[in-house]
């Protein structure tokens, strides 16, 4: 599964990153996780727009 680091959408100062993980599907990529520095998956806390930005 592809992974990469992106800016944390909850960080207003753009100083922190989240590790995002995708699943490859027939339609393309699907975001399945957004792990913050503390190890917590914050994907369920993100809005649809924030997920699209990642």
């Amino acid at each position: 599964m592809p992974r990469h680091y992106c800016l944390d959408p909850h960080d207003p100062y753009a100083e922190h990153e989240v590790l995002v993980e995708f699943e490859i599907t027939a339609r393309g990529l699907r975001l399945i996780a957004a792990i913050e520095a503390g190890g917590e998956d914050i994907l369920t806390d993100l809005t649809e727009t924030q997920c699209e930005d990642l």
Side-chain angles (χ1 to χ4, degrees):
M1 289 179 237
R3 297 179 180 187
H4 70 274
Y5 285 95
C6 293
L7 292 176
D8 184 343
H10 290 159
D11 180 10
Y13 301 107
E15 296 175 340
H16 301 283
E17 294 180 327
V18 293
L19 177 63
V20 293
E21 188 171 342
F22 296 91
E23 174 182 62
I24 299 173
T25 67
R27 294 183 153 191
L29 296 174
R30 183 174 74 91
L31 181 61
I32 60 171
I35 311 297
E36 67 177 2
E40 185 178 338
D41 187 355
I42 62 167
L43 185 60
T44 57
D45 298 337
L46 301 178
T47 66
E48 184 177 334
T49 303
Q50 288 171 321
C51 289
E52 289 172 2
D53 288 344
L54 294 175

